[in-house]
Amino acid sequence: MSMHGSSLEAKLVILGSQGVGKTSLVMRYVQNTFSPHSASTIGASFLTQRMQVFGVIRRGYVDDCRVVLQIWDTAGQERFRSMAPMYYRGANAAILVYDITSEQSFQDISSWVEELQRNTGDIDIHVVGSKLDLAEKSREVPQERAQAYVRNTLGSLHDVHEVSAKDATGVDELFHDVTRSLVERTYEIERTRRERQAGDVQLRDGRQEASDQACCNV
Amino acid sequence: QRWAVLLEEDPTMSVTTLRKKAVYGDVCVRGLRSVGWKIFLEYLPTLDCATWPLALEKERGHYEQLRKKYIIDPNATEGADNEAGARQVSPWSQFFQDTELRRIIKQDVDRTFPDKPYFRTPAAQERMTDILFVYCKIHHEVSYRQGMHELLAPILLVVDEESVDAAQCTDEKEPLVAAQIAATLDSRFVEHDAFVLFSAVMATAKQWYEFTEEPRPARGGKMANSSTPILRISHRIHHELLKEIDQDLYNHLEELTIEPQIYAIRWLRLLFGREFPLEDAYRLWDALFADDKQLGAVEFVCISMLLLIR
């Protein structure tokens, strides 16, 4: 992730089981389209989306930030024989998608979370339940359960997102939250680094004095 | 007659000459593409159609047997029980495993070429699922991997479109030859023939789907001796061929840290099927099949595509 003034480029990877609607989600967001039959993703496909996040606090000021999101949309089946690291390597954020009408796809989420936590530094994880439009007819995963899981695993500030690529419910909000979270984290990292650097300088100055004294004692 | 082209060929024409001609694209014309593929992929052993019925009978019979063996009804317990005893797997547990495999296959079959009405028909979907299922049963080592469905789909479409009702096909001048060609295109064996051709393509393509667990390859160098073939091939395309042919483009991709398998996986697994409109992909396949049953030219096609995109 790199920042130039108030702009930021970040890599976002979309993961989840086969057929949960990862591509449909991305297509709804990037092109605002939906097709009931979208071809299976082979390997991965890549899209870029530019957006702007307003009103983030940076160095004590309210700031706007331009973000270029590099979206890596992966094939669901890659999970099993683990081509996946190639795709999530270097990602700043991950969207883990399950299908609210498929208990199995929700079960698969936890192994994704574990794998990402084990193999990546501090990737920002978001859990998303798709196909919300089918909730009344065939929901298998209650929202409360998903929410409890997310809070337990990722922390109390995290929420599960339920979305529908078909009728667009929640999609823009999801990507907006993801992007805002990326920007905030980046500023946070930046702030910590600045503080640490300031600390380093003081430390070095202290040593300097010590050695000066040592010098005088000789 | 649609097969006039083949009949009028020089009688001394050899398969080698035909292959050479086909690479330039004037053999696999509409209506005869599947016959061309059957010859180039060595389903049909020679150009002499007198030798065809035997080969057809053998391969179609083989598929028929595989189909009977693997597409089982667990309620038909007799016989199945004995066999299951030997394998220590109950027919029901086998049935559930198979159901899961079919479900995974069906998920991709359902969304094959979304804009081609042919693939929305239950008949075509059922055929694809059966062919892929049988293939996976006899190739446990890879089983089903996403993408195989799009290698099969164009084959099935060509074979089906070109198929004829064998009983309706007669030719007064050359009744025997007409009968033999009709047998080759017999609509009763569309599924069988698609399976045979798909298997022949997969003989080479299978390796592009294989994945071996191994320590995660570091960026760059190490992949040369990766045990996953697709990574090894991608590595060769990029670090050997491209580097040799276009150093600037190679350097540029290196700078952007674009790993070659990122694009090569889709290109190879689908044999470029998503990179071109279907008609163009067919012409490319004609040439690839005609050039070499083992598809030796694919790495060079990848290079050409890189140069073209440049």
Side-chain angles (χ1 to χ4, degrees), chain B residues 92-109:
Chain B
W92 280 101
S93 122
Q94 188 61 53
F95 174 73
F96 288 125
Q97 276 178 32
D98 288 354
T99 309
E100 176 61 13
L101 178 57
R102 284 188 80 92
R103 189 187 65 80
I104 290 171
I105 292 171
K106 190 77 175 27
Q107 234 173 15
D108 281 337
V109 166

Side-chain angles (χ1 to χ4, degrees), chain A residues 120-183:
Chain A
T120 63
D122 57 359
I123 194 167
D124 193 11
I125 299 175
H126 302 263
V127 176
V128 174
S130 65
K131 309 193 188 178
L132 185 58
D133 50 285
L134 299 178
E136 257 180 54
K137 239 172 59 190
S138 35
R139 181 194 280 275
E140 280 187 11
V141 184
Q143 193 196 11
E144 304 73 40
R145 221 177 89 226
Q147 175 76 346
Y149 168 78
V150 167
R151 292 248 160 110
N152 262 331
T153 324
L154 300 174
S156 58
L157 295 176
H158 285 79
D159 291 310
V160 68
H161 291 258
E162 289 194 335
V163 304
S164 163
K166 189 175 179 185
D167 62 26
T169 310
V171 175
D172 279 349
E173 292 87 332
L174 164 69
F175 280 90
H176 201 266
D177 282 0
V178 170
T179 315
R180 169 171 290 268
S181 162
L182 271 169
V183 172

